[in-house]
Amino acid sequence: MRTILVVGGGYAGFYAAWKLEKKLRHDEARVIVVDPRPYMTYQPFLPEVLAGSVEARHAAVSQRRHLKKTKIISGSVVTIDHARRLVTVRPTEGEEYPLAYDTIVVTAGAVTRKFAIPGVAEQAIGLKHVEEAVAIRDQLLTAFDRASTLPPGPRRRRLLTVAFVGGGFSGVEGFGELLSLATTLVKAYPELDPAELSFHLVEARGRILPEVADEPGRWVVRELERRGGQVHLNAQVMSAEDGHVVLSTGVEFDSDLIVWTAGNAANPMVHNHTDLPIDARGLLVVRADLRVGTEDAPIPDAWGGGDDAAVPDLALGNGAATVPNAQHAVRQGKLLARNILADLRGRPAKKYVHRSLGTVATLGLGRGIFEWRGIVIKGLPAWLMHRGYHVLAVPSWERKVRVLAIWLAAAFFGRDIVSLASVQHPRQAFVTAGETKH
């Protein structure tokens, strides 16, 4: 049998493998997925995981539960030698080993873009994975508990200060949801003054949410500021050493919670460790039908899509590439499966063409914004559209039902505000049990 190797189990990789195993004939080919995580993260839910509106496990779609005919390898592909149809796999446990394939699908995704800013690597946390979202939520809840035991002063202000760096969708949605949680949470702490909350959103450009038009973007800034947030445009983080944040505008503040959402960078493996063609940004060069290569020089048996590939956007034209978001990655994953099957069976592949369904973002409980072809909807209707779209888009009916049940429960009983930060140190209670200090 032919071996189809899928590198990465994110949106594009998961959907490609899922559709392949449903459509492949018996003994036509076998599918292998290599990914360090045993689940696909449904990233649009991460801001709601921050706020407790979605359970962390419900934002993660199990690969083994849904890819029942696919071989799952827990690890990472560290090199691709397509000339020899060989990759090097670094498993989560054990030594690296070579793995042969016949067809490769590169959907390794992008990584969080970082800069050599003092203190960022030591102090900041990303918002790309479920574990990060859970840690951010628990850290905020724990900060409230700690702040409530302190008198007003610098230490208490630091605990109640949050900084988000990056004004794209991930940063704005995360900022809005966490701000919504904090303003609700402070009501449960009579020791704290709501005025002590200090939330900062830092963006290097002169606007946030580049996917929407200028005026809706300005409205989002006004909405966040109306709710107590501080939006710093045309500002860069110069330093974050020991939690002391210094902006290029001269603003300075102390924070124990710095969330880094300043965009994506090329996957280092794709950029540096493959013989497949890449462009100047370090992205995989693919044609409109998602085959690796160009129209004049296609690469046999190599396909790619998602955030690590420069997919031509035929809907826009002018040589533009599709933006790295879930809307494209899901559809590219499905087309990858169809085109690989067509290639195996001697049929022509189809080109990827997808016109945007619009952009929708949550800004906190009951607040959102939607834009499509000049039509802008704000507030509660946009928030309901956001929830409706994503409950339909999340894979599998099992996940849809679980998420919908959590939302309905929260509508009646409110968000859960229990911190489980101690889960990050599970042995501490056992180790210290019985200790007595004199």
Side-chain angles (χ1 to χ4, degrees):
M1 277 198 301
R2 292 181 63 85
T3 295
I4 301 173
L5 175 64
V6 180
V7 181
Y11 288 115
F14 176 85
Y15 274 93
W18 199 19
K19 297 302 180 182
L20 276 170
E21 72 169 24
K22 289 182 178 181
K23 300 294 184 180
L24 281 168
R25 301 181 188 126
H26 181 64
D27 291 340
E28 187 173 17
R30 65 169 182 160
V31 181
I32 299 175
V33 171
V34 181
D35 194 89
R37 287 178 170 80
Y39 56 81
M40 182 205 81
T41 302
Y42 191 74
Q43 291 184 349
F45 279 161
L46 293 187
E48 297 212 47
V49 172
L50 287 184
S53 300
V54 170
E55 287 289 334
R57 288 188 298 273
H58 298 166
V61 181
S62 170
Q63 293 173 355
R64 294 187 184 275
R65 181 184 181 96
H66 299 287
L67 303 180
K68 297 179 180 178
K69 300 177 185 177
T70 298
K71 181 178 180 180
I72 309 293
I73 296 177
S74 182
S76 303
V77 169
V78 292
T79 63
I80 299 174
D81 184 352
H82 189 65
R84 299 168 58 200
R85 303 297 193 274
L86 200 67
V87 299
T88 302
V89 175
R90 180 178 295 158
T92 52
E93 290 289 338
E95 300 293 325
E96 295 181 0
Y97 62 89
L99 178 64
Y101 64 84
D102 297 289
T103 299
I104 193 167
V105 185
V106 184
T107 53
V111 298
T112 301
R113 182 175 59 185
K114 294 188 292 186
F115 302 95
I117 300 172
V120 167
E122 295 78 17
Q123 300 293 327
I125 183 170
L127 184 54
K128 203 171 182 65
H129 303 290
V130 174
E131 300 93 335
E132 294 172 325
V134 172
I136 293 167
R137 169 181 164 80
D138 284 344
Q139 188 168 330
L140 180 76
L141 295 175
T142 301
F144 269 77
D145 287 332
R146 295 168 63 189
S148 67
T149 67
L150 296 172
R155 181 59 188 147
R156 190 154 106 169
R157 285 198 303 271
R158 179 184 177 116
L159 286 167
L160 298 177
T161 298
V162 177
F164 273 71
V165 184
F169 259 86
S170 180
V172 171
E173 289 191 314
F175 182 83
E177 286 287 348
L178 207 63
L179 177 60
S180 176
L181 172 63
T183 51
T184 301
L185 189 63
V186 75
K187 299 174 184 176
Y189 290 83
E191 307 91 341
L192 303 178
D193 184 344
E196 293 180 281
L197 294 179
S198 183
F199 272 64
H200 300 263
L201 176 62
V202 182
E203 170 54 45
R205 292 168 292 189
R207 55 163 300 175
I208 61 174
L209 293 179
E211 296 87 350
V212 304
D214 290 345
E215 179 51 38
R218 287 192 288 269
W219 177 85
V220 172
V221 171
R222 294 194 299 270
E223 169 67 13
L224 294 175
E225 291 179 336
R226 183 187 65 81
R227 292 160 49 194
Q230 300 179 54
V231 181
H232 305 272
L233 300 178
N234 295 310
Q236 298 178 10
V237 175
M238 307 304 292
S239 174
E241 290 186 290
D242 298 322
H244 182 68
V245 180
V246 180
L247 304 185
S248 58
T249 55
V251 174
E252 298 184 27
F253 55 86
D254 292 322
S255 174
D256 281 345
L257 182 52
I258 303 170
V259 184
W260 191 266
T261 59
N264 294 327
N267 190 298
M269 185 276 293
V270 175
H271 190 194
N272 302 316
H273 303 291
T274 174
D275 58 351
L276 295 171
I278 59 171
D279 66 10
R281 296 172 297 166
L283 300 177
L284 196 67
V285 175
V286 299
R287 310 188 319 175
D289 61 3
L290 306 183
R291 188 189 296 275
V292 175
T294 63
E295 294 297 329
D296 298 327
I299 307 296
D301 304 320
W303 305 80
D307 292 356
D308 66 359
V311 180
D313 193 337
L314 300 185
L316 289 178
N318 300 321
T322 57
V323 296
N325 63 21
Q327 196 174 129
H328 284 299
V330 168
R331 288 165 177 79
Q332 288 169 12
K334 294 177 180 179
L335 183 62
L336 280 167
R338 290 197 293 269
N339 281 352
I340 291 168
L341 286 169
D343 189 60
L344 289 175
R345 297 167 185 175
R347 300 198 302 265
K350 294 183 178 180
K351 294 182 178 181
Y352 177 74
V353 182
H354 172 66
R355 299 189 182 278
S356 174
L357 301 176
T359 54
V360 61
T362 174
L363 303 174
L365 194 63
R367 303 175 179 91
I369 186 166
F370 168 82
E371 182 184 30
W372 179 72
R373 296 187 180 181
I375 300 172
V376 179
I377 300 174
K378 305 170 184 175
L380 180 62
W383 179 76
L384 292 173
M385 293 171 70
H386 176 273
R387 287 205 161 183
Y389 172 80
H390 286 299
V391 80
L392 292 174
V394 68
S396 84
W397 281 103
E398 170 253 345
R399 276 292 177 269
K400 298 179 198 297
V401 171
R402 288 182 186 273
V403 169
L404 190 58
I406 289 293
W407 282 343
L408 291 174
F412 288 99
F413 304 111
R415 293 163 168 161
D416 195 332
I417 59 172
V418 175
S419 169
L420 295 177
S422 58
V423 76
Q424 298 171 41
H425 308 282
R427 296 187 65 252
Q428 185 172 353
F430 174 76
V431 170
T432 59
E435 289 185 1
T436 303
K437 293 182 180 181
H438 298 283

